[in-house]
Amino acid sequence: MARKYPFYPAWDGKKASSTIRFFVRACNRRWGFKNLGTYVNRAVNNPAAKGALSVHATGWACDIGYPSTKAGRRAAVEAWEWLLEHSEELRIAAIHDYRYGSFGRGYRSNRGAGQSGVLVYRNSKESAGRGGNWLHVEIENTWESGKEFEAMWRSLPKP
């Protein structure tokens, strides 16, 4: 089921949410991912957006990096698939996989749940980070707390 994308326009949330902080730690424990960034009040990396804020400014987005090895990529694919499978339960708003294919791929909640919400990028204009060894993840700002999100995360079957 498609859900409204909650981050247009983005705003300055002043800090990383407790939900996104838990998510980054959980991805580190489960897949060995590194925190490449959460909250930062900056413009989006898109000249056409002319000063619009990045979703990172809201405090509900993160970049999680993985090693540029076959094992690192396998972990990223496993995480991508698990997050898509549980996109509704975890209220995932977006995921970008910059290493996939020639230009990457992205999931958005407004396109549908799971695989139905995925778009494979066909050119460099669609891709925000072609070839990068990280996933960008945005979680809806509807969680009351990081503890509430953590309870949902722990209730789901591990990959």
Side-chain angles (χ1 to χ4, degrees), residues 121-136:
Y121 304 135
R122 300 170 307 237
N123 57 58
S124 60
K125 288 184 180 184
E126 293 178 338
S127 178
R130 180 178 170 195
N133 291 319
W134 73 90
L135 300 175
H136 169 86

Side-chain angles (χ1 to χ4, degrees), residues 12 44 56 95 127 143:
D12 184 1
V44 69
H56 283 280
I95 312 170
S127 178
W143 294 97

Side-chain angles (χ1 to χ4, degrees), residues 83-133:
L83 292 170
L84 278 182
E85 180 181 351
H86 302 291
S87 60
E88 292 284 305
E89 297 96 326
L90 295 173
R91 299 181 219 161
I92 304 291
I95 312 170
H96 300 286
D97 176 3
Y98 300 112
R99 178 60 74 191
Y100 183 84
S102 297
F103 299 101
R105 61 184 170 174
Y107 162 80
R108 284 282 288 271
S109 58
N110 60 325
R111 292 193 287 253
Q115 288 294 333
S116 63
V118 175
L119 174 67
V120 175
Y121 304 135
R122 300 170 307 237
N123 57 58
S124 60
K125 288 184 180 184
E126 293 178 338
S127 178
R130 180 178 170 195
N133 291 319

Side-chain angles (χ1 to χ4, degrees), residues 24-149:
V24 168
R25 287 190 310 273
C27 288
N28 172 266
R29 285 192 303 269
R30 183 164 290 170
W31 294 291
F33 295 164
K34 302 276 187 235
N35 180 2
L36 301 181
T38 56
Y39 169 80
V40 62
N41 186 7
R42 67 167 175 80
V44 69
N45 290 331
N46 180 348
K50 296 190 176 156
L53 287 178
S54 163
V55 177
H56 283 280
T58 68
W60 292 88
C62 66
D63 292 328
I64 45 179
Y66 56 89
S68 58
T69 61
K70 287 181 181 180
R73 183 63 192 154
R74 277 193 304 274
V77 170
E78 179 181 89
W80 166 273
E81 291 172 355
W82 189 82
L83 292 170
L84 278 182
E85 180 181 351
H86 302 291
S87 60
E88 292 284 305
E89 297 96 326
L90 295 173
R91 299 181 219 161
I92 304 291
I95 312 170
H96 300 286
D97 176 3
Y98 300 112
R99 178 60 74 191
Y100 183 84
S102 297
F103 299 101
R105 61 184 170 174
Y107 162 80
R108 284 282 288 271
S109 58
N110 60 325
R111 292 193 287 253
Q115 288 294 333
S116 63
V118 175
L119 174 67
V120 175
Y121 304 135
R122 300 170 307 237
N123 57 58
S124 60
K125 288 184 180 184
E126 293 178 338
S127 178
R130 180 178 170 195
N133 291 319
W134 73 90
L135 300 175
H136 169 86
V137 180
E138 302 169 12
I139 299 173
E140 290 181 13
N141 61 328
T142 55
W143 294 97
E144 290 294 322
S145 68
K147 292 285 185 197
E148 180 190 23
F149 180 85

